[in-house]
Amino acid sequence: MKKILFPAIAIIAATLLFSITGCKPKDAGSATQGDAASRVYVPPGKYDELYNFVSGGFSGQVTVYGIPSGRLLRVIPVFSTDPESGWGFSENTKPMLNTSHGMIPWDDQHHLDLSQTNGEVDGRWIFANGNNTPRIARIDLTTFRTAEILEIPNSAGNHSSPFITENTEYVVAGTRFSVPMDNQNQDVPIDTYKKNFKGTVSFISVDPKSGNMKLAFQLLLPGIDFDLSHAGKGPSHGWFFFSCYNSEQAHTLLEVNASQRDKDFIMAVNWKKAEEYIKQGKGQKQTVKYAHNVYDDSTHQATSTMETQTLVLDAKDFPDIVYMIPCPKSPHGCDVDPTGEYIVGSGKLAALIPVYSFTKLQKAIADKAFDGDYDGLPVIKYESALYGEVKKPGLGPLHTEFDGKGNGYTTMFISSEVVKWNIKDLKVVDRHATYYSPGHLMIPGGDSKKPYGKYLIAYNKITKDRYLPTGPELSQSAQLFDISGEKMKLLADYPSIGEPHYAQAISADIVAKNSVKIFDIAKNKNSFVTLGEKNAKVVRTGNRVDVYMTMIRSHLNPDNIEGVKVGDEVYFHLTNLEQDWDVPHGFAIKGANNAELLVMPGETQTLKWLPTESMIYPFYCTDFCSALHQEMQGYIRISPKESNVPLSFSMGKKSEPTVAPDSAKAQ
């Protein structure tokens, strides 16, 4: 590979600086078309067309918006604790945040991928990645809850995930940071990077009925950085394509040292061939440690299991699994068009967009049209796999999605625009400014066989003057475009939570028809469920006190508890007896240093509380449920540790009569 320095970095940086600090465009206030308001207006009582699932970035959560309105519908707790619902605080959900490093109550949630059947989004699940401590989560779209989290061993910086195959056979994850493997000595000098650091790509199988995930196998790869990826479809089904950077294998000041080559790589992985080798008994089993956490909707309880093994195939020992395709320059995005024939690489420091042909790639492999190898992996000649290049599309191409009508749309981070280009002739046919510096973009179904080619949303990194100022930190900006015609039309922009990276959207009809409205209390298998008020009770076992409490409009049972002492461990097991949609109940107690609980109809949740002072503690329902919501409250008496106050509980017991003072009698 030819090595050059890249003096244009300074020019690009200057361009970027101007783009985000220059004056506001004169027409920014009127950038939308005259009918834009009517296009995004959803009247009261009407539903949006689409659910838009957006990565929460450093919030660690997933947010859900309605499209076209841009209304925030839901924040789904995934990798971060959530005091609103008790996620990560309740005894039911604490195991979901367990890892081989212990409980990790935060992560950096970057990318999302909807499950697919025959290459089309199907509305069953959406997968989310934890970038910081490598994890993959599966969110159940019947409940909009995180159902499963799987930690990934032999990995660091799980940015290159989660990407799925066209029938959701696998969720695939590549490591961002190459590191020494988990089963090896990791106490090595950092400057031994080229010798001791390796990359991996993990293939996680998905059960087609339950959705349960299992680490099927990992590919051991050279010590480079993997960025983004997409699976093949149609003719390219059975293949995966990853963008790779840092082919220089730098370990310091990557800004310069990982930007020296003209080209890095798109890595093509034949996962069907890898499956064949595994069936033949190939690969090495490694002893590793990683957590597998599952939430059960029948028991309303999560469990965490520590797995201890993974199967690894060293790619250089199987030369027909992995091929490297040169790609200019420091590629970031890697996208596959709806037909499965064209693979688009986006070099963020390149001034063009290379488009590869899967057919030409297969011929190049058959003809052994190689340009040497990279750390034992064959390198395809650039021209042998190239379909063509989109010339001068803009500055800083990052990500591409497709409208299903023969067009690709690519974000230009530096020149702050979305560029539309024709896949066949590779000509730019339209461009539209964004405000400012877009990273990802999203067309509903835009990475599937069947895009919903009506809307495009650009997720911008810099907000500047788009919204009212809120101090030094501003919300990120999402901008909604109409792409149904020849020209893109900006319809609206709206703030988004965290730093959104990727997002996906799906027709509301597909998801809403399967939505769970209540949990059938007759099927509640939680070991602490209280089926009816007559079964409410308080039980002491040593210094553990279990409160079996029911919730219904508009009281808690029991609502008076005595005989609990300082130093006791108190477990409130709350069962919501309601069987009516949208009637959750909350529970909070004074002085609790964790969170509240939010308990859905028919559900049981548990909060652990450690009282530290002798006093009367009020507790109450936090979620407004009825006209007598304020009356849904109670008290627990905490006595000194040496107290002899007997354990008792009640509801509806009358207080001692109050004797009016003489002055009151005189009146």
Side-chain angles (χ1 to χ4, degrees):
M1 289 287 183
K2 180 181 178 183
K3 291 187 177 182
I4 63 169
L5 293 174
F6 195 61
I9 292 176
I11 298 173
I12 290 174
T15 306
L16 173 60
L17 183 64
F18 177 80
S19 73
I20 62 177
T21 59
C23 297
K24 183 177 181 179
K26 294 180 179 179
D27 62 346
S30 59
T32 57
Q33 303 298 310
D35 65 345
S38 64
R39 296 288 307 280
V40 301
Y41 177 65
V42 178
K46 299 296 183 181
Y47 292 165
D48 280 284
E49 291 177 55
L50 302 161
Y51 287 103
N52 181 206
F53 299 92
V54 183
S55 67
F58 42 66
S59 78
Q61 318 290 35
V62 170
T63 51
V64 187
Y65 298 84
I67 299 298
S69 71
R71 298 182 295 198
L72 177 65
L73 303 177
R74 184 85 174 90
V75 177
I76 303 175
V78 185
F79 298 110
S80 296
T81 53
D82 178 40
E84 175 185 338
S85 64
W87 178 261
F89 292 105
S90 71
E91 298 305 294
N92 310 64
T93 59
K94 281 180 181 178
M96 293 299 287
L97 299 181
N98 189 39
T99 75
S100 62
H101 306 276
M103 182 182 179
I104 304 292
W106 170 86
D107 217 309
D108 186 10
Q109 200 283 294
H110 268 224
H111 301 121
L112 301 163
D113 219 348
L114 285 160
S115 58
Q116 294 184 12
T117 300
N118 193 29
E120 298 180 22
V121 292
D122 57 30
R124 293 177 294 166
W125 312 298
I126 189 165
F127 299 90
N129 69 341
N131 182 30
N132 183 63
T133 302
R135 289 175 277 182
I136 298 292
R138 177 176 57 87
I139 298 168
D140 186 338
L141 293 186
T142 65
T143 59
F144 281 61
R145 284 183 168 181
T146 303
E148 188 174 13
I149 296 178
L150 180 68
E151 187 181 3
I152 304 174
N154 289 331
S155 182
N158 182 37
H159 180 263
S160 183
S161 69
F163 302 104
I164 64 166
T165 52
E166 66 177 354
N167 287 297
T168 321
E169 298 97 335
Y170 292 106
V171 176
V172 181
T175 183
R176 172 182 175 181
F177 301 103
S178 289
V179 290
M181 294 297 94
D182 287 357
N183 68 330
Q184 297 176 345
N185 177 27
Q186 299 206 359
D187 183 19
V188 297
I190 296 173
D191 63 9
T192 64
Y193 183 103
K194 293 183 179 181
K195 176 183 177 182
N196 292 314
F197 289 49
K198 295 292 183 181
T200 58
V201 168
S202 302
F203 283 76
I204 299 162
S205 62
V206 180
D207 185 276
K209 291 185 179 180
S210 67
N212 288 342
M213 300 185 293
K214 179 181 179 181
L215 182 57
F217 63 93
Q218 296 181 300
L219 295 180
L220 185 66
L221 296 157
I224 55 178
D225 293 46
F226 298 101
D227 213 331
L228 295 182
S229 174
H230 275 92
K233 55 179 74 77
S236 55
H237 177 66
W239 287 76
F240 237 101
F241 306 95
F242 283 83
S243 61
C244 315
Y245 65 100
N246 192 23
S247 57
E248 298 86 351
Q249 296 188 311
H251 59 80
T252 182
L253 195 62
L254 267 64
E255 175 187 17
V256 174
N257 293 327
S259 304
Q260 296 183 20
R261 293 176 180 260
D262 282 331
K263 294 181 176 69
D264 288 285
F265 298 109
I266 297 294
M267 183 177 74
V269 178
N270 186 340
W271 60 264
K272 285 286 190 181
K273 182 63 69 173
E275 283 186 330
E276 292 178 14
Y277 284 121
I278 290 170
K279 290 177 182 177
Q280 296 169 16
K282 306 294 185 182
Q284 298 292 323
K285 292 181 179 179
Q286 289 185 6
T287 299
V288 292
K289 187 179 178 183
Y290 59 101
H292 186 191
N293 311 326
V294 179
Y295 189 88
D296 187 326
D297 275 330
S298 63
T299 63
H300 311 297
Q301 179 64 49
T303 56
S304 180
T305 304
M306 201 60 65
E307 305 287 352
T308 58
Q309 194 174 81
T310 183
L311 179 64
V312 178
L313 296 175
D314 191 332
K316 71 176 184 297
D317 295 335
F318 304 94
D320 51 354
I321 291 180
V322 176
Y323 301 90
M324 310 298 276
I325 311 169
C327 181
K329 167 153 189 166
S330 296
H332 186 53
C334 182
D335 304 280
V336 180
D337 89 307
T339 71
E341 170 62 20
Y342 302 104
I343 303 107
V344 180
S346 296
K348 55 185 179 285
L349 300 181
L352 53 82
I353 301 173
V355 180
Y356 304 95
S357 161
F358 182 73
T359 301
K360 292 188 68 175
L361 170 63
Q362 295 306 294
K363 186 176 186 304
I365 293 171
D367 294 344
K368 298 187 182 301
F370 301 148
D371 189 10
D373 68 87
Y374 180 81
D375 204 359
L377 303 179
V379 176
I380 304 289
K381 290 182 178 179
Y382 180 64
E383 294 78 9
S384 296
L386 186 70
Y387 172 73
E389 297 172 339
V390 181
K391 304 290 188 181
K392 298 181 179 179
L395 293 176
L398 291 186
H399 301 285
T400 300
E401 295 233 331
F402 307 91
D403 61 8
K405 295 176 280 191
N407 301 302
Y409 297 74
T410 303
T411 49
M412 300 292 163
F413 180 80
I414 294 173
S415 52
S416 288
E417 58 187 333
V418 174
V419 173
K420 176 182 177 180
W421 51 275
N422 183 273
I423 298 171
K424 289 295 185 182
D425 63 19
L426 306 180
K427 302 293 186 184
V428 173
V429 294
D430 191 24
R431 60 178 72 239
H432 201 297
T434 62
Y435 307 99
Y436 307 91
S437 301
H440 279 279
L441 78 166
M442 187 279 301
I443 295 172
D447 69 340
S448 72
K449 282 184 177 179
K450 192 176 180 180
Y452 186 92
K454 184 176 180 180
Y455 299 115
L456 178 153
I457 302 177
Y459 295 95
N460 303 316
K461 300 300 185 184
I462 308 297
T463 309
K464 284 294 184 185
D465 43 33
R466 299 306 290 177
Y467 309 120
L468 289 172
T470 52
E473 184 180 8
L474 302 176
S475 172
Q476 266 75 29
S477 169
Q479 294 193 296
L480 177 68
F481 291 84
D482 171 15
I483 60 169
S484 60
E486 291 185 8
K487 296 290 185 181
M488 292 178 279
K489 296 180 180 180
L490 177 59
L491 298 178
D493 56 1
Y494 53 93
S496 49
I497 292 175
E499 184 198 354
H501 294 266
Y502 191 41
Q504 293 221 311
I506 187 172
S507 174
D509 294 338
I510 297 175
V511 175
K513 65 182 179 183
N514 297 319
S515 181
V516 170
K517 293 181 171 60
I518 63 169
F519 294 101
D520 186 346
I521 197 168
K523 297 179 180 179
N524 185 326
K525 297 180 180 179
N526 186 279
S527 56
F528 298 106
V529 64
T530 304
L531 294 174
E533 292 188 347
K534 67 180 184 298
N535 296 314
K537 58 186 177 181
V538 181
V539 178
R540 174 181 287 281
T541 307
N543 71 333
R544 172 175 172 141
V545 177
D546 290 275
V547 180
Y548 295 79
M549 183 178 289
T550 61
M551 321 167 84
I552 197 167
R553 288 167 286 185
S554 297
H555 58 268
L556 300 162
N557 184 17
D559 62 5
N560 280 204
I561 303 170
E562 300 189 34
V564 182
K565 305 174 185 180
V566 172
D568 283 342
E569 291 184 353
V570 184
Y571 292 82
F572 290 98
H573 310 296
L574 285 299
T575 299
N576 184 343
L577 299 179
E578 307 282 357
Q579 291 288 268
D580 189 8
W581 190 23
D582 198 25
V583 189
H585 290 296
F587 177 81
I589 184 167
K590 178 183 177 181
N593 62 1
N594 41 22
E596 69 150 11
L597 290 181
L598 195 59
V599 190
M600 298 300 113
E603 185 180 44
T604 300
Q605 294 283 308
T606 296
L607 186 72
K608 181 180 179 180
W609 178 55
L610 302 175
T612 58
E613 295 183 65
S614 175
M615 60 187 292
I616 300 293
Y617 290 86
F619 53 80
Y620 65 101
C621 174
T622 59
D623 195 286
F624 201 99
C625 54
S626 71
L628 296 176
H629 166 72
Q630 286 293 103
E631 284 72 18
M632 196 168 174
Q633 65 183 52
Y635 298 96
I636 182 169
R637 174 186 173 187
I638 303 299
S639 300
K641 190 172 185 177
E642 65 277 6
S643 170
N644 293 319
V645 176
L647 186 68
S648 65
F649 58 94
S650 63
M651 180 186 70
K653 183 179 178 180
K654 293 183 179 180
S655 303
E656 296 177 3
T658 301
V659 179
D662 292 341
S663 58
K665 291 179 180 179
Q667 294 177 357

